[in-house]
Amino acid sequence: MKEASMTIKLPERFDFSYHKDFYNHTADILAKSSLKEVQMDFSQVEYLDSSALGMLVMLQKKCAEVNKRVVVINVSGVAAEILQIANMDKLVDIR
C-alpha cells in the first residue's frame, strides 16, 4: 500500500506574509493520521527568507512528533541555493 501524502504548493514569495496560510495548511495535515508525508512544492518559489526557513523547521519538528516526513520537491534556482546554504537537506528530504 502506498503511503498517503499531501502536497502544499508554496507561493512565489515564501516569507512571513504566508505564515498564517502555512500554519492553516499544515495544521490540517498534522491532524490527519493517514498522511505520512508532507510534500512542499517549491515549483513557483522565487523568493524565501529566514521566516520561511523557520516555518520549514517548525513543520519538520511537528511532523517528526507524529511520525510524518517532510519532503521538498521541485526546488530550483535561488530557492535551492538558499536551502543548500541553510543545510536544510540535513533536516528534510529534498528531491
Side-chain angles (χ1 to χ4, degrees):
M1 186 172 119
K2 188 173 183 278
E3 284 189 346
S5 67
M6 182 170 238
T7 302
I8 296 175
K9 196 162 190 78
L10 297 169
E12 194 174 304
R13 289 185 60 87
F14 183 24
D15 58 17
F16 189 74
S17 66
Y18 187 66
H19 183 262
K20 185 173 183 166
D21 288 335
F22 184 86
Y23 178 81
N24 291 336
H25 287 309
T26 57
D28 291 342
I29 289 169
L30 290 167
K32 293 181 179 162
S33 61
S34 62
L35 295 174
K36 296 298 176 199
E37 184 175 277
V38 182
Q39 295 184 342
M40 307 304 295
D41 185 350
F42 271 73
S43 60
Q44 298 193 353
V45 176
E46 293 182 9
Y47 172 85
L48 68 151
D49 65 5
S50 60
S51 64
L53 295 174
M55 286 183 259
L56 283 174
V57 170
M58 178 200 69
L59 176 62
Q60 191 282 329
K61 286 182 178 179
K62 288 184 175 184
C63 282
E65 291 172 5
V66 292
N67 202 25
K68 296 182 192 308
R69 189 171 52 248
V70 177
V71 178
V72 171
I73 59 171
N74 302 322
V75 65
S76 61
V78 174
E81 289 177 34
I82 292 170
L83 293 179
Q84 182 180 15
I85 290 167
N87 287 321
M88 292 300 290
D89 59 324
K90 301 212 179 348
L91 196 61
V92 299
D93 187 6
I94 299 177
R95 297 183 187 153

XYZ file of all heavy atoms in Angstrom:
753
model
N 0.830 -1.183 0.000
C 0.000 0.000 0.000
C 0.878 1.251 0.000
O 1.824 1.367 0.766
C -0.885 -0.003 1.251
C -1.898 1.118 1.259
S -3.046 0.913 2.626
C -2.727 2.400 3.509
N 0.574 2.188 -0.874
C 1.347 3.415 -0.989
C 1.030 4.340 0.191
O -0.114 4.475 0.591
C 0.985 4.113 -2.307
C 1.852 5.297 -2.618
C 1.521 5.812 -4.021
C 2.423 6.957 -4.375
N 1.980 8.233 -3.835
N 2.075 4.951 0.716
C 1.866 5.892 1.813
C 1.117 7.115 1.313
O 1.369 7.611 0.219
C 3.210 6.347 2.386
C 3.879 5.323 3.246
C 5.091 5.914 3.946
O 5.566 7.001 3.575
O 5.569 5.274 4.877
N 0.215 7.590 2.125
C -0.551 8.781 1.759
C 0.301 10.027 1.970
O 0.984 10.156 2.976
C -1.811 8.855 2.607
N 0.240 10.910 0.987
C 0.966 12.166 1.122
C 0.064 13.314 0.684
O -0.933 13.117 0.005
C 2.245 12.157 0.280
O 1.932 12.127 -1.090
N 0.434 14.501 1.103
C -0.296 15.691 0.701
C 0.727 16.727 0.265
O 1.803 16.828 0.849
C -1.136 16.227 1.851
C -1.959 17.432 1.493
S -3.132 17.801 2.806
C -4.640 17.713 1.881
N 0.393 17.476 -0.772
C 1.308 18.481 -1.304
C 0.791 19.879 -1.018
O -0.387 20.166 -1.219
C 1.470 18.299 -2.831
O 1.950 16.976 -3.077
C 2.450 19.306 -3.399
N 1.689 20.727 -0.544
C 1.376 22.134 -0.338
C 2.158 22.911 -1.388
O 3.385 22.858 -1.426
C 1.776 22.618 1.077
C 0.963 21.880 2.138
C 1.595 24.129 1.192
C 1.359 22.204 3.555
N 1.434 23.591 -2.266
C 2.070 24.391 -3.313
C 2.368 25.766 -2.721
O 1.459 26.508 -2.363
C 1.154 24.501 -4.528
C 1.857 24.968 -5.770
C 0.994 24.625 -6.981
C 1.718 24.826 -8.273
N 2.652 23.778 -8.619
N 3.646 26.071 -2.612
C 4.066 27.322 -1.985
C 3.987 28.489 -2.970
O 4.112 28.295 -4.176
C 5.493 27.168 -1.454
C 5.628 26.108 -0.354
C 7.081 25.824 -0.057
C 4.908 26.555 0.907
N 3.801 29.714 -2.448
C 3.673 30.890 -3.322
C 5.030 31.350 -3.860
O 6.079 30.911 -3.396
C 3.086 31.943 -2.377
C 3.632 31.569 -1.036
C 3.672 30.055 -1.029
N 4.971 32.275 -4.802
C 6.188 32.836 -5.402
C 7.081 33.461 -4.333
O 8.295 33.324 -4.368
C 5.785 33.880 -6.442
C 6.883 34.312 -7.358
C 6.364 35.242 -8.448
O 5.441 34.850 -9.182
O 6.898 36.368 -8.533
N 6.465 34.163 -3.390
C 7.203 34.749 -2.259
C 6.850 33.959 -0.999
O 5.782 34.127 -0.431
C 6.831 36.222 -2.059
C 7.377 37.131 -3.147
C 7.095 38.586 -2.835
N 7.691 39.035 -1.590
C 8.935 39.503 -1.464
N 9.715 39.581 -2.500
N 9.386 39.886 -0.281
N 7.777 33.110 -0.581
C 7.588 32.307 0.623
C 8.272 33.055 1.754
O 9.461 32.924 1.992
C 8.180 30.912 0.399
C 7.998 29.953 1.537
C 6.990 30.083 2.474
C 8.852 28.861 1.662
C 6.831 29.179 3.515
C 8.709 27.947 2.693
C 7.713 28.109 3.622
N 7.499 33.911 2.435
C 8.043 34.733 3.507
C 7.008 34.862 4.624
O 6.012 34.146 4.627
C 8.497 36.099 2.987
C 7.377 36.881 2.300
O 6.179 36.538 2.487
O 7.691 37.828 1.568
N 7.247 35.765 5.535
C 6.368 35.869 6.704
C 4.915 36.161 6.328
O 4.002 35.759 7.044
C 6.882 36.917 7.695
C 6.131 36.897 8.989
C 6.347 35.875 9.910
C 5.178 37.855 9.274
C 5.622 35.821 11.098
C 4.456 37.816 10.461
C 4.685 36.801 11.371
N 4.684 36.813 5.210
C 3.309 37.122 4.805
C 2.488 35.850 4.545
O 1.264 35.889 4.548
C 3.301 38.007 3.555
O 3.828 37.305 2.448
N 3.163 34.726 4.342
C 2.488 33.448 4.078
C 2.296 32.633 5.363
O 1.697 31.564 5.351
C 3.306 32.651 3.046
C 2.641 31.386 2.566
C 1.469 31.425 1.816
C 3.182 30.145 2.871
C 0.855 30.262 1.382
C 2.573 28.968 2.432
C 1.420 29.040 1.696
O 0.807 27.883 1.267
N 2.770 33.149 6.477
C 2.776 32.396 7.737
C 1.406 31.857 8.127
O 1.263 30.689 8.472
C 3.341 33.260 8.865
C 3.443 32.546 10.163
N 2.482 32.664 11.149
C 4.357 31.672 10.635
C 2.816 31.899 12.167
N 3.943 31.291 11.895
N 0.375 32.692 8.078
C -0.961 32.252 8.507
C -1.491 31.141 7.604
O -2.003 30.123 8.095
C -1.930 33.434 8.520
C -3.286 33.072 9.074
C -4.179 34.277 9.252
C -5.483 33.801 9.869
N -6.285 34.887 10.383
N -1.366 31.305 6.285
C -1.799 30.253 5.356
C -1.008 28.968 5.582
O -1.564 27.876 5.572
C -1.619 30.700 3.894
C -2.639 31.753 3.488
O -3.724 31.804 4.108
O -2.340 32.512 2.553
N 0.297 29.117 5.778
C 1.161 27.956 6.008
C 0.694 27.206 7.251
O 0.544 25.990 7.236
C 2.614 28.417 6.169
C 3.602 27.295 6.310
C 4.130 26.691 5.196
C 4.014 26.867 7.557
C 5.053 25.657 5.317
C 4.928 25.836 7.695
C 5.450 25.233 6.567
N 0.458 27.940 8.328
C 0.008 27.323 9.573
C -1.316 26.584 9.376
O -1.479 25.458 9.839
C -0.127 28.386 10.668
C -0.636 27.814 11.961
C 0.230 27.168 12.843
C -1.985 27.880 12.291
C -0.236 26.611 14.024
C -2.463 27.318 13.469
C -1.582 26.692 14.327
O -2.045 26.139 15.484
N -2.260 27.214 8.671
C -3.563 26.590 8.440
C -3.441 25.311 7.611
O -4.063 24.298 7.928
C -4.521 27.574 7.766
C -4.935 28.701 8.689
O -4.899 28.575 9.898
N -5.302 29.824 8.110
N -2.647 25.352 6.548
C -2.451 24.155 5.709
C -1.811 23.024 6.508
O -2.244 21.876 6.437
C -1.543 24.464 4.515
C -2.176 25.298 3.455
N -3.393 25.015 2.887
C -1.734 26.419 2.838
C -3.681 25.926 1.976
N -2.686 26.796 1.933
N -0.771 23.364 7.254
C -0.039 22.312 7.962
C -0.813 21.773 9.157
O -0.688 20.596 9.482
C 1.362 22.788 8.389
O 1.246 23.967 9.195
C 2.219 23.105 7.175
N -1.637 22.593 9.791
C -2.443 22.111 10.919
C -3.385 21.018 10.442
O -3.569 20.001 11.120
C -3.209 23.262 11.554
N -3.976 21.205 9.271
C -4.869 20.191 8.700
C -4.119 18.887 8.449
O -4.617 17.798 8.728
C -5.476 20.680 7.379
C -6.469 21.820 7.575
O -6.936 22.004 8.712
O -6.760 22.518 6.589
N -2.927 19.008 7.896
C -2.125 17.823 7.570
C -1.706 17.081 8.840
O -1.792 15.862 8.912
C -0.890 18.229 6.745
C -1.342 18.653 5.345
C 0.126 17.108 6.667
C -0.279 19.320 4.526
N -1.265 17.821 9.837
C -0.828 17.192 11.085
C -1.963 16.444 11.761
O -1.739 15.449 12.438
C -0.234 18.243 12.025
C 1.111 18.812 11.569
C 1.458 20.052 12.368
C 2.208 17.765 11.672
N -3.184 16.912 11.563
C -4.350 16.286 12.196
C -4.770 14.987 11.508
O -5.477 14.175 12.097
C -5.509 17.265 12.210
N -4.336 14.775 10.268
C -4.733 13.581 9.516
C -3.731 12.450 9.744
O -2.637 12.461 9.202
C -4.839 13.901 8.022
C -5.970 14.849 7.714
C -6.071 15.129 6.233
C -7.231 16.074 5.987
N -7.161 16.714 4.689
N -4.136 11.475 10.515
C -3.215 10.389 10.848
C -2.877 9.508 9.656
O -1.845 8.843 9.648
C -3.795 9.537 11.987
O -5.023 8.972 11.565
N -3.712 9.499 8.632
C -3.445 8.645 7.471
C -2.317 9.188 6.603
O -1.712 8.454 5.829
C -4.708 8.507 6.625
O -5.100 9.779 6.135
N -2.014 10.471 6.720
C -0.948 11.066 5.914
C 0.413 10.820 6.557
O 0.597 11.088 7.739
C -1.169 12.567 5.747
C -2.411 12.971 4.967
C -2.589 14.475 4.997
C -2.349 12.462 3.541
N 1.341 10.317 5.780
C 2.672 10.023 6.305
C 3.748 10.928 5.722
O 4.876 10.947 6.191
C 3.049 8.559 6.021
C 2.151 7.566 6.732
C 2.256 7.727 8.229
C 1.302 6.816 8.973
N 1.074 7.237 10.335
N 3.381 11.682 4.677
C 4.371 12.529 4.029
C 3.750 13.870 3.648
O 2.644 13.918 3.124
C 4.904 11.831 2.775
C 6.009 12.569 2.077
C 6.572 11.760 0.922
O 7.433 10.899 1.176
O 6.138 11.992 -0.219
N 4.484 14.934 3.912
C 4.071 16.279 3.532
C 5.050 16.761 2.475
O 6.243 16.874 2.743
C 4.104 17.242 4.736
C 3.622 18.626 4.331
C 3.300 16.703 5.896
N 4.543 17.001 1.271
C 5.395 17.485 0.196
C 5.242 18.996 0.077
O 4.133 19.494 -0.075
C 5.031 16.820 -1.136
C 5.293 15.343 -1.137
C 5.012 14.705 -2.492
O 4.324 15.267 -3.331
N 5.559 13.523 -2.684
N 6.365 19.691 0.136
C 6.384 21.141 -0.025
C 6.823 21.423 -1.452
O 7.981 21.203 -1.793
C 7.355 21.778 0.984
C 7.107 21.368 2.434
S 5.445 21.701 3.017
C 5.400 23.463 2.949
N 5.892 21.871 -2.288
C 6.163 22.103 -3.707
C 6.712 23.518 -3.909
O 5.996 24.505 -3.792
C 4.889 21.893 -4.520
C 5.117 21.999 -6.016
O 6.225 22.421 -6.434
O 4.195 21.660 -6.773
N 8.000 23.590 -4.242
C 8.697 24.863 -4.422
C 8.707 25.313 -5.886
O 9.455 26.213 -6.242
C 10.148 24.734 -3.945
C 10.363 25.052 -2.494
C 9.933 24.182 -1.507
C 11.017 26.205 -2.107
C 10.153 24.462 -0.159
C 11.236 26.504 -0.776
C 10.798 25.633 0.199
N 7.906 24.705 -6.761
C 7.998 24.989 -8.193
C 7.773 26.464 -8.541
O 8.290 26.937 -9.548
C 7.031 24.106 -8.985
O 5.702 24.339 -8.585
N 7.029 27.200 -7.716
C 6.778 28.611 -8.017
C 7.573 29.569 -7.138
O 7.527 30.780 -7.337
C 5.279 28.908 -7.881
C 4.458 28.106 -8.843
C 3.023 28.603 -8.952
O 2.593 29.469 -8.215
N 2.300 28.050 -9.894
N 8.322 29.031 -6.171
C 9.040 29.890 -5.225
C 10.243 30.555 -5.905
O 11.119 29.881 -6.427
C 9.514 29.094 -3.988
C 10.340 29.985 -3.061
C 8.323 28.509 -3.243
N 10.231 31.879 -5.889
C 11.363 32.644 -6.416
C 12.088 33.388 -5.302
O 13.198 33.867 -5.480
C 10.891 33.632 -7.485
C 10.383 32.922 -8.732
C 9.951 33.894 -9.819
O 10.185 35.114 -9.694
O 9.370 33.411 -10.797
N 11.415 33.516 -4.144
C 11.994 34.242 -3.023
C 11.593 33.545 -1.731
O 10.441 33.153 -1.570
C 11.475 35.695 -3.005
C 11.868 36.455 -1.774
C 13.099 37.093 -1.694
C 11.025 36.524 -0.671
C 13.483 37.779 -0.555
C 11.389 37.203 0.480
C 12.622 37.832 0.524
O 12.993 38.507 1.660
N 12.562 33.364 -0.836
C 12.231 32.920 0.512
C 13.172 33.603 1.483
O 14.290 33.950 1.126
C 12.267 31.399 0.652
C 13.581 30.656 0.557
C 13.504 29.405 1.395
C 13.846 30.271 -0.883
N 12.710 33.790 2.700
C 13.524 34.460 3.703
C 13.682 33.573 4.932
O 13.269 32.408 4.934
C 12.938 35.829 4.050
C 11.576 35.760 4.716
O 11.087 34.643 5.015
O 10.983 36.833 4.953
N 14.278 34.133 5.974
C 14.551 33.339 7.174
C 13.272 32.851 7.846
O 13.259 31.777 8.445
C 15.390 34.142 8.168
O 14.708 35.319 8.543
N 12.187 33.602 7.731
C 10.944 33.120 8.346
C 10.431 31.879 7.605
O 9.843 30.989 8.221
C 9.876 34.215 8.404
O 9.493 34.624 7.118
N 10.665 31.801 6.301
C 10.279 30.604 5.544
C 11.085 29.405 6.020
O 10.537 28.310 6.203
C 10.497 30.830 4.049
N 12.373 29.613 6.248
C 13.204 28.522 6.769
C 12.703 28.101 8.148
O 12.629 26.908 8.451
C 14.673 28.956 6.839
C 15.346 29.260 5.504
C 16.742 29.817 5.728
C 15.374 28.043 4.600
N 12.327 29.074 8.959
C 11.786 28.773 10.283
C 10.499 27.974 10.209
O 10.276 27.055 11.001
N 9.647 28.313 9.242
C 8.393 27.568 9.075
C 8.685 26.116 8.691
O 8.031 25.199 9.189
C 7.507 28.233 8.020
C 6.846 29.506 8.500
S 5.733 30.205 7.264
C 6.755 31.511 6.590
N 9.676 25.904 7.824
C 10.039 24.536 7.435
C 10.587 23.752 8.626
O 10.258 22.579 8.810
C 11.069 24.550 6.304
C 10.544 24.846 4.918
C 11.704 24.966 3.927
C 9.569 23.776 4.461
N 11.425 24.397 9.420
C 11.990 23.734 10.607
C 10.873 23.374 11.584
O 10.811 22.252 12.099
C 13.052 24.628 11.287
C 13.454 24.068 12.647
C 14.266 24.787 10.382
N 9.954 24.324 11.817
C 8.827 24.071 12.719
C 7.980 22.899 12.208
O 7.602 22.015 12.975
C 7.959 25.319 12.841
C 6.732 25.144 13.709
S 5.462 26.384 13.393
C 4.901 25.941 11.766
N 7.702 22.904 10.901
C 6.906 21.834 10.318
C 7.607 20.491 10.483
O 6.980 19.502 10.864
C 6.646 22.109 8.835
C 5.895 21.004 8.088
C 4.500 20.800 8.672
C 5.816 21.328 6.604
N 8.904 20.459 10.242
C 9.646 19.195 10.363
C 9.563 18.677 11.799
O 9.336 17.491 12.021
C 11.103 19.396 9.926
C 11.869 18.108 9.762
C 12.330 17.486 11.069
O 12.606 18.181 12.039
N 12.395 16.171 11.091
N 9.728 19.547 12.769
C 9.680 19.126 14.178
C 8.291 18.590 14.537
O 8.167 17.555 15.185
C 10.052 20.289 15.099
C 11.528 20.606 15.072
C 11.863 21.730 16.017
C 13.359 21.979 15.997
N 13.739 23.078 16.886
N 7.242 19.302 14.098
C 5.878 18.856 14.401
C 5.562 17.542 13.691
O 4.894 16.676 14.250
C 4.862 19.935 14.021
C 4.888 21.119 14.955
C 3.812 22.109 14.611
C 3.773 23.224 15.642
N 2.668 24.145 15.388
N 6.040 17.393 12.473
C 5.812 16.142 11.735
C 6.549 14.977 12.388
O 6.008 13.875 12.484
C 6.252 16.289 10.277
S 5.065 17.197 9.270
N 7.774 15.214 12.829
C 8.551 14.157 13.476
C 7.829 13.634 14.721
O 7.856 12.435 15.002
C 9.942 14.670 13.840
N 7.152 14.527 15.438
C 6.423 14.133 16.645
C 5.274 13.180 16.341
O 4.878 12.394 17.198
C 5.871 15.373 17.361
C 6.931 16.240 17.987
C 6.381 17.559 18.511
O 5.143 17.776 18.483
O 7.201 18.391 18.938
N 4.713 13.262 15.135
C 3.573 12.422 14.772
C 3.921 11.448 13.636
O 3.047 10.995 12.903
C 2.320 13.268 14.425
C 1.789 13.975 15.664
C 2.600 14.260 13.318
N 5.226 11.168 13.501
C 5.707 10.159 12.556
C 5.360 10.462 11.090
O 4.894 9.599 10.361
C 5.189 8.775 12.960
C 6.045 7.665 12.383
O 7.225 7.871 12.103
N 5.455 6.508 12.206
N 5.563 11.705 10.711
C 5.369 12.115 9.316
C 6.707 12.640 8.783
O 7.562 13.067 9.547
C 4.312 13.218 9.203
C 2.925 12.780 9.634
C 1.921 13.904 9.444
C 0.585 13.675 10.108
N -0.086 12.445 9.830
N 6.842 12.623 7.464
C 8.071 13.038 6.812
C 7.797 14.295 5.981
O 6.760 14.410 5.336
C 8.538 11.889 5.909
C 9.866 11.988 5.309
C 10.289 10.678 4.625
N 9.298 10.174 3.673
C 8.579 9.061 3.841
N 8.714 8.331 4.919
N 7.719 8.666 2.930
N 8.755 15.231 5.979
C 8.651 16.438 5.158
C 9.582 16.280 3.959
O 10.755 15.937 4.111
C 9.048 17.704 5.951
C 8.993 18.944 5.057
C 8.145 17.882 7.159
N 9.029 16.498 2.767
C 9.793 16.371 1.534
C 9.649 17.663 0.739
O 8.536 18.151 0.537
C 9.279 15.180 0.681
C 10.048 15.075 -0.616
C 9.359 13.879 1.469
N 10.779 18.211 0.303
C 10.773 19.395 -0.552
C 10.908 18.915 -1.994
O 11.818 18.144 -2.310
C 11.929 20.349 -0.191
C 12.059 21.466 -1.216
C 11.712 20.926 1.208
N 9.991 19.347 -2.854
C 10.026 18.928 -4.252
C 10.056 20.150 -5.179
O 9.651 21.241 -4.783
C 8.824 18.020 -4.623
C 7.486 18.728 -4.380
C 8.880 16.706 -3.850
C 6.269 17.984 -4.913
N 10.533 19.937 -6.391
C 10.523 20.954 -7.454
C 11.220 22.248 -7.065
O 10.776 23.334 -7.439
C 9.087 21.259 -7.905
C 8.363 20.033 -8.397
O 8.950 19.176 -9.047
N 7.088 19.918 -8.078
N 12.322 22.138 -6.338
C 13.051 23.349 -5.940
C 14.202 23.580 -6.919
O 14.859 22.636 -7.353
C 13.540 23.259 -4.480
C 14.557 22.159 -4.291
C 14.078 24.590 -3.990
N 14.408 24.853 -7.287
C 15.498 25.178 -8.205
C 15.926 26.627 -8.005
O 15.306 27.368 -7.239
C 15.059 24.959 -9.657
O 13.964 25.806 -9.955
N 16.967 27.017 -8.695
C 17.421 28.403 -8.686
C 17.834 28.903 -7.323
O 18.447 28.185 -6.531
N 17.490 30.162 -7.060
C 17.871 30.820 -5.813
C 17.297 30.087 -4.603
O 17.973 29.939 -3.586
C 17.411 32.303 -5.820
C 17.656 32.965 -4.480
C 18.118 33.069 -6.922
N 16.058 29.602 -4.709
C 15.449 28.884 -3.587
C 16.274 27.647 -3.229
O 16.514 27.371 -2.050
C 14.010 28.492 -3.922
N 16.738 26.912 -4.236
C 17.565 25.720 -3.991
C 18.882 26.114 -3.329
O 19.348 25.434 -2.408
C 17.818 24.977 -5.299
N 19.483 27.216 -3.785
C 20.739 27.685 -3.198
C 20.556 28.050 -1.732
O 21.390 27.702 -0.893
C 21.261 28.901 -3.961
C 21.792 28.574 -5.342
C 22.232 29.831 -6.090
O 22.741 30.778 -5.435
O 22.062 29.864 -7.314
N 19.468 28.739 -1.424
C 19.210 29.141 -0.035
C 19.016 27.916 0.850
O 19.565 27.839 1.951
C 18.000 30.098 0.048
C 18.363 31.435 -0.617
C 17.558 30.313 1.491
C 17.201 32.369 -0.813
N 18.251 26.936 0.378
C 18.052 25.711 1.166
C 19.377 24.986 1.380
O 19.630 24.449 2.455
C 17.041 24.792 0.479
C 15.592 25.297 0.416
C 14.717 24.288 -0.305
C 15.043 25.586 1.804
N 20.229 24.993 0.361
C 21.529 24.318 0.481
C 22.426 25.047 1.479
O 23.036 24.416 2.344
C 22.203 24.262 -0.889
C 23.528 23.529 -0.872
C 24.192 23.489 -2.246
O 23.817 24.218 -3.154
N 25.170 22.633 -2.377
N 22.486 26.370 1.374
C 23.312 27.166 2.292
C 22.847 26.975 3.734
O 23.652 26.910 4.664
C 23.282 28.655 1.900
C 24.041 28.850 0.583
C 23.860 29.544 2.992
C 23.822 30.192 -0.079
N 21.535 26.858 3.922
C 20.963 26.691 5.264
C 21.037 25.247 5.754
O 20.564 24.941 6.843
C 19.515 27.166 5.263
N 21.620 24.352 4.941
C 21.742 22.928 5.295
C 20.401 22.270 5.570
O 20.305 21.358 6.407
C 22.679 22.734 6.498
C 24.118 22.948 6.136
O 24.570 22.553 5.061
N 24.849 23.602 7.018
N 19.358 22.700 4.876
C 18.030 22.127 5.084
C 17.968 20.663 4.661
O 17.110 19.922 5.131
C 16.969 22.944 4.334
C 16.746 24.333 4.896
S 16.208 24.361 6.616
C 14.557 23.727 6.459
N 18.887 20.247 3.795
C 18.902 18.843 3.369
C 19.238 17.901 4.521
O 18.987 16.710 4.433
C 19.875 18.632 2.204
C 21.300 19.030 2.552
O 21.501 20.015 3.295
O 22.218 18.351 2.068
N 19.772 18.432 5.599
C 20.055 17.608 6.780
C 18.793 17.418 7.620
O 18.728 16.533 8.458
C 21.154 18.255 7.625
C 22.446 18.442 6.840
C 23.641 18.322 7.703
C 24.978 18.477 7.027
N 25.077 18.472 5.622
N 17.793 18.250 7.374
C 16.568 18.239 8.167
C 15.380 17.631 7.408
O 14.575 16.914 7.988
C 16.235 19.676 8.572
C 15.243 19.902 9.679
C 15.731 19.275 10.983
C 15.027 21.387 9.877
N 15.294 17.938 6.120
C 14.182 17.444 5.293
C 14.744 16.775 4.047
O 15.866 17.036 3.651
C 13.204 18.580 4.901
C 12.573 19.219 6.119
C 13.871 19.625 4.039
N 13.933 15.936 3.438
C 14.306 15.254 2.204
C 14.066 16.216 1.039
O 12.949 16.685 0.848
C 13.431 13.997 2.075
C 13.836 13.118 0.922
O 14.863 13.400 0.265
O 13.125 12.138 0.658
N 15.127 16.542 0.298
C 14.987 17.429 -0.855
C 15.146 16.587 -2.116
O 16.177 15.971 -2.322
C 16.000 18.577 -0.820
C 15.792 19.425 0.437
C 15.878 19.443 -2.087
C 16.779 20.547 0.635
N 14.106 16.553 -2.940
C 14.125 15.732 -4.166
C 14.167 16.598 -5.400
O 13.622 17.639 -5.465
C 12.891 14.836 -4.234
C 12.850 13.846 -3.104
C 11.665 12.924 -3.246
N 11.564 12.089 -2.056
C 10.445 11.569 -1.614
N 9.317 11.763 -2.232
N 10.428 10.823 -0.537
